[in-house]
Amino acid sequence: MSPSRNGGNEDAGAPPASDRFEEDVLALLPALRRYARSLVRSDPDGEDLLQDCVEKVLSRRAQWRGVNLRAWAFTIMTNLGRNRHRYVAMHPQVALDEDLGLEAETHESDPLERSRLERALNGLSTENRSVLMLVVIEGYRYQDVAEMMAIPIGTVMSRLSRARRQLAEAMKDDNVISMRRPK
């Protein structure tokens, strides 16, 4: 066991000191941000979901069992995303008609490729996209994803397979370029 910042030893199953907990949550923000954006298909809504998740993680600190903070936070994010999806389905919003001209600055090498990938990912169902993001991007094992999403491991595997197949098909279809010979 390693000594804690307070000079004492922490139990292996005990949660870390409060300041360490907050540092660990802070370290999870990039992964939680990616996952939130994939759940809601929008950067602003993803930021809102991330904020809700972090607020819930911090306010429910006493409920954490001290085992796997990352899995616990992703489970909270998954549940918040599901609740938000249900709410949006029951309370549709009207989109703004005008373009406000507020575009994020991007620095990718191929903006068309990124756009194609984003369209393909957004074309996936929420369930399939969630599984794909957790397994492929965040690196979770199938069993971990099954526990986080409260679904059987076979469902995780089939959703992942379906998501990969749909993504490959969507990317293949968009890769057709008509080239004409100059006259």
Side-chain angles (χ1 to χ4, degrees), residues 156-171:
V156 170
M157 294 183 328
S158 66
R159 286 181 183 176
L160 180 62
S161 174
R162 201 172 306 122
R164 285 178 170 158
R165 188 175 54 251
Q166 289 171 344
L167 195 61
E169 192 65 31
M171 294 299 287

Side-chain angles (χ1 to χ4, degrees), residues 21-36 50 53-54 57 64 68-74 77 138 140:
F21 177 81
E22 291 169 3
E23 288 175 14
D24 291 344
V25 170
L26 188 61
L28 290 174
L29 288 181
L32 286 170
R33 179 173 283 117
R34 282 189 304 269
Y35 186 52
L50 173 67
C53 178
V54 171
V57 165
W64 181 53
N68 186 342
L69 179 61
R70 183 178 172 94
W72 187 62
F74 272 81
M77 176 75 71
E138 302 305 330
Y140 280 104

Side-chain angles (χ1 to χ4, degrees), residues 3-166:
S4 71
R5 294 175 188 213
N6 299 337
N9 287 337
E10 295 178 357
D11 295 336
S18 180
D19 58 340
R20 182 69 190 154
F21 177 81
E22 291 169 3
E23 288 175 14
D24 291 344
V25 170
L26 188 61
L28 290 174
L29 288 181
L32 286 170
R33 179 173 283 117
R34 282 189 304 269
Y35 186 52
R37 287 177 177 171
S38 75
L39 287 175
V40 295
R41 301 176 183 172
S42 160
D43 288 347
D45 291 341
E47 289 298 318
D48 290 345
L49 183 58
L50 173 67
Q51 183 177 349
D52 291 346
C53 178
V54 171
E55 185 273 327
K56 188 161 282 214
V57 165
L58 294 175
S59 69
R60 305 266 169 103
R61 160 81 168 95
Q63 294 177 1
W64 181 53
R65 293 184 226 141
V67 179
N68 186 342
L69 179 61
R70 183 178 172 94
W72 187 62
F74 272 81
T75 300
I76 290 172
M77 176 75 71
T78 299
N79 291 334
L80 287 171
R82 285 178 180 163
N83 292 342
R84 184 176 292 250
H85 182 71
R86 280 189 217 114
Y87 180 84
V88 168
M90 292 174 59
H91 304 92
Q93 298 179 352
V94 177
L96 294 176
D97 288 338
E98 64 184 68
D99 178 17
L100 300 177
L102 302 174
E103 296 198 20
E105 190 174 320
T106 58
H107 299 284
E108 64 274 346
S109 59
D110 187 356
L112 294 176
E113 187 68 20
R114 177 186 162 114
S115 176
R116 287 179 50 233
L117 179 59
E118 188 175 338
R119 274 195 317 273
L121 284 170
N122 287 340
L124 298 174
S125 70
T126 302
E127 295 83 13
N128 292 351
R129 191 176 57 258
S130 297
V131 170
L132 180 75
M133 294 300 291
L134 288 171
V135 172
V136 176
I137 304 299
E138 302 305 330
Y140 280 104
R141 296 176 310 134
Y142 295 171
Q143 184 63 42
D144 297 334
V145 175
E147 290 171 8
M148 277 188 254
M149 298 184 77
I151 57 176
I153 193 168
T155 303
V156 170
M157 294 183 328
S158 66
R159 286 181 183 176
L160 180 62
S161 174
R162 201 172 306 122
R164 285 178 170 158
R165 188 175 54 251
Q166 289 171 344

